[in-house]
Amino acid sequence: MKPTLNALLIHADDKPGVLHKVTKRIAERGANISSVEIVGHQGDTATLYLEITDFNGDFSALIEELGGVSNVTKVESFDPLLKVYGKRIIIIGGGAQIGQVALGAISEADRHNLRGERISVDTIPLVEEKNLASAVRAVAFLPRAKVLVMAGAIMGGEITNAVKEIKQDGITVISLNMAGSVPQEADLVVSDPVQAGVMAVMAVADTAQFDITLQRSRQY
């Protein structure tokens, strides 16, 4: 059974210790904070986005209680980003290849989202080994990121090391069939970039009959 996920937007004075006050109050009510982010500043006010799990009490009462914390000016209930934007497919590499992968991924995501899924697609075209390796490693820290597609003509060296690292963090890696050592470390290698995008979405869609674990290390 999946834990209930609630989200809050908390507007508060941008002062030291305010975050501690808020999180302490939530912890005292037996709830677990699964995600927290400062999403904006306006003048002397900061806005916090928090996702809360394992809370079995009255959520409206918790909102009212948090509104009474000193330096907190407003508390709002908010749809969790997993519900709004859903699971994320990240595509990294060269612009031409990314465009084709995105074509397949967006088309397939649209098909599943019409059936109640929430899957979003993010892309970033990059050049140079160092930039690509840094971007790959950062995927592990992106909220809701599930699959990384490596879309390029040649990738290896430090990029390959980065791929190995994020696989240990649970990110599925799909690679285009390219020169370099990245395809050797990918969970799946696909020659057609459009098909790679389609398969990336199918790998995370609950409404798809596709098990990526049965395809690991295969090439198409």
Side-chain angles (χ1 to χ4, degrees):
M1 183 176 179
K2 293 182 179 179
T4 301
L5 182 65
N6 297 294
L8 292 171
L9 281 179
I10 299 177
H11 307 272
D13 296 334
D14 190 7
K15 294 182 178 180
V18 176
L19 180 60
H20 171 71
K21 295 177 185 177
V22 170
T23 56
K24 179 181 178 182
R25 187 63 59 89
I26 292 172
E28 289 173 348
R29 296 298 169 264
N32 180 54
I33 298 174
S34 58
S35 178
V36 59
E37 185 177 357
I38 299 176
V39 296
H41 289 86
Q42 188 172 7
D44 296 328
T45 301
T47 301
L48 307 173
Y49 170 80
L50 297 96
E51 292 185 348
I52 298 173
T53 58
D54 304 327
F55 181 70
N56 299 316
D58 186 339
F59 194 61
S60 297
L62 176 63
I63 291 175
E64 184 176 351
E65 187 173 345
L66 289 172
V69 173
S70 60
N71 299 115
V72 171
T73 56
K74 185 180 181 181
V75 182
E76 302 175 82
S77 177
F78 198 78
D79 284 336
L81 292 181
L82 184 62
K83 179 180 179 181
V84 178
Y85 280 100
K87 306 161 190 171
R88 299 171 71 182
I89 308 297
I90 311 297
I91 308 171
I92 294 176
Q97 292 93 339
I98 281 180
Q100 292 301 300
V101 175
L103 176 64
I106 292 170
S107 298
E108 184 70 9
D110 182 60
R111 186 170 74 88
H112 291 283
N113 289 348
L114 287 171
R115 296 157 64 188
E117 282 274 2
R118 283 294 185 272
I119 299 171
S120 55
V121 180
D122 296 284
T123 67
I124 180 168
L126 290 171
V127 294
E128 298 184 1
E129 181 179 340
K130 181 179 179 181
N131 292 334
L132 284 161
S134 296
V136 169
R137 289 189 172 96
V139 171
F141 307 110
L142 293 176
R144 310 179 319 283
K146 302 298 181 182
V147 176
L148 168 64
V149 182
M150 302 301 294
I154 178 170
M155 294 184 186
E158 192 59 28
I159 305 170
T160 303
N161 293 334
V163 166
K164 292 178 182 178
E165 293 171 17
I166 66 163
K167 285 178 61 179
Q168 295 177 355
D169 292 317
I171 303 295
T172 296
V173 179
I174 296 177
S175 172
L176 296 186
N177 194 2
M178 67 177 86
S181 55
V182 161
Q184 299 171 20
E185 296 299 332
D187 294 297
L188 181 65
V189 179
V190 184
S191 298
D192 181 357
V194 175
Q195 186 66 16
V198 171
M199 296 180 82
V201 172
M202 291 178 65
V204 299
D206 294 331
T207 49
Q209 299 297 319
F210 179 75
D211 188 349
I212 188 69
T213 61
L214 300 179
Q215 308 298 323
R216 294 198 187 281
S217 301
R218 293 191 180 185
Q219 295 190 17
Y220 292 96

